[in-house]
Amino acid sequence: MPVEFLGIAATNNGSETTARSGGSFDKDYTVRLARAHEDHGWDRVLFAYHSGAPEPAAAAAYLAAKLDKLQILLAHRPNVSYPTFAAKTFATLDQISDGRITVHFITGGTDQEQQREGDYLTKDERYGRTREYIQIVKKAWTSRERFSHDGEHYRFADFVSDVFPVQQPRPRVSFGGSSPAAYAAGGAEADIFCLWGEPLEETAQQISSVREAARLAGRTDVPKIQVAFRPIIAPTEELAWEKAYRTLDAIKAHTPARKNPQNTGSQRLLAVADRGERFDRALWTPTAAATGGAGNSNALVGTPETVAQALLDYYDLGVEILSARGYDLLGDAIDFGRHVIPIVREEVAKRDRAAA
């Protein structure tokens, strides 16, 4: 079973531990960080979405024109554009990048963040809209004939695109979440289902829920599973843990914790943190607790060998895409690529040879 590595495509050098040194869209840094991923064994990088951040599709187009190999995962919120328009945008990006685009559809887990761009639907309504949106985008990518749509959230007549993706029949669709509504929508529509790093037992349960949702939706295949972590690595275990506690202090100094997060994924991270600090081989929860469960925030701490073996534990559960983002975005991308990715790839190749 192949393994893929997903990193981060940031437009500036800020993180939870460090204030950015320049503007929100630093073009040189954007390319430098992406090139570090491309040069050190990563498969793709994520352009994330936030209401006030640089527009990720434009940033992705800029990056795609600068690099030749690195693939791009583009985050997109359905509330910010009509699905036919979005389908053309994604297809154009796939043309610019020669077939290197995957689209990650974000339903939105926080009312306040959604309302900043005029979205006042409830969470359940947003999931219904996202599912309808993905269905329209898929059809726009693949239909050479005019089609109409009259759904709960969208209505149009006689649309046909004149730009189609390089990837055939279409680019992959990525989706994430940890609620029953997320499992249902992503299980039905996603090629990739994304989870935040939790202990192995909980991750196995979530994978089972996603696969059951896919079965209930009538699929004969299942989404690939992606799990995300914050790696903290050093040459020895002692140095790694010293680095972890320095990182935690920096998070507390620079990033205020969210209060009572609405989304199920963050609630799950905080519930795990309440149970303890360390789980399984290397999972460490205080980084999640310090941010209020904000996004991908559970760490893997240890030497490169320890962190690689921890990632392989998730691979053995059925996780095919490993997402990792350090707190020093550039330095950690290089170190992880040099010291962790080769170990994981070698061990996966051994497993594949043994299974052949």
Side-chain angles (χ1 to χ4, degrees), residues 16 26 32 50 55 73 113 141 214 332-333:
E16 296 94 331
D26 182 332
R32 186 181 176 196
H50 185 270
E55 203 285 306
L73 177 59
E113 171 66 9
W141 278 340
D332 287 343

Side-chain angles (χ1 to χ4, degrees), residues 73-312:
L73 177 59
L74 175 67
H76 180 76
R77 286 183 183 165
N79 60 292
V80 300
S81 68
Y82 209 73
T84 50
F85 176 84
K88 293 186 297 179
T89 300
F90 305 146
T92 304
L93 280 170
D94 207 49
Q95 292 282 344
I96 291 170
S97 67
D98 295 320
R100 288 181 282 144
I101 294 294
T102 300
V103 183
H104 180 64
F105 290 92
I106 301 175
T107 297
T110 303
D111 290 346
Q112 183 183 36
E113 171 66 9
Q114 295 300 119
Q115 291 167 7
R116 286 170 177 155
E117 293 188 289
D119 184 10
Y120 286 85
L121 295 186
T122 67
K123 184 178 178 182
D124 285 346
E125 289 171 337
R126 293 198 296 267
Y127 274 112
R129 178 183 60 192
T130 301
R131 188 167 179 174
E132 185 178 342
Y133 196 99
I134 293 172
Q135 291 169 348
I136 294 168
V137 168
K138 286 179 178 178
K139 191 164 185 178
W141 278 340
T142 57
S143 177
R144 265 59 176 178
E145 303 293 332
R146 297 184 182 276
F147 68 97
S148 301
H149 180 85
D150 188 359
E152 182 179 356
H153 299 279
Y154 302 102
R155 181 184 180 191
F156 56 87
D158 294 334
F159 175 80
V160 66
S161 180
D162 194 34
V163 57
F164 294 95
V166 171
Q167 298 175 78
Q168 292 297 313
R170 57 171 178 79
R172 292 192 294 180
V173 166
S174 172
F175 187 90
S178 296
S179 67
Y183 300 145
E189 300 296 339
D191 303 298
I192 300 166
F193 197 99
C194 307
L195 303 170
W196 290 332
E198 296 186 14
L200 292 165
E201 181 178 357
E202 284 81 353
T203 300
Q205 292 168 353
Q206 289 208 79
I207 293 172
S208 178
S209 296
V210 172
R211 290 174 174 171
E212 176 63 10
R215 186 191 68 80
L216 292 174
R219 292 178 60 167
T220 56
D221 63 339
V222 294
K224 288 189 174 184
I225 300 296
Q226 172 184 304
V227 178
F229 303 96
R230 307 301 293 269
I232 301 175
I233 61 172
T236 69
E237 295 291 333
E238 181 180 9
L239 289 173
W241 285 105
E242 289 177 2
K243 181 178 178 181
Y245 284 104
R246 288 197 307 272
T247 299
L248 181 60
D249 289 342
I251 292 172
K252 291 177 178 179
H254 289 88
T255 305
R258 298 185 305 164
K259 303 293 185 181
N260 302 316
Q262 285 182 294
N263 59 307
T264 303
S266 293
Q267 292 168 5
R268 289 177 63 101
L269 295 185
L270 292 178
V272 171
D274 285 343
R275 286 166 39 206
E277 291 193 356
R278 298 189 189 186
F279 293 85
D280 305 319
R281 194 185 298 265
L283 190 72
W284 194 53
T285 66
T287 47
T291 62
N296 168 24
S297 51
N298 269 340
L300 293 176
V301 181
T303 64
E305 292 78 11
T306 295
V307 170
Q309 290 302 321
L311 291 169
L312 287 161

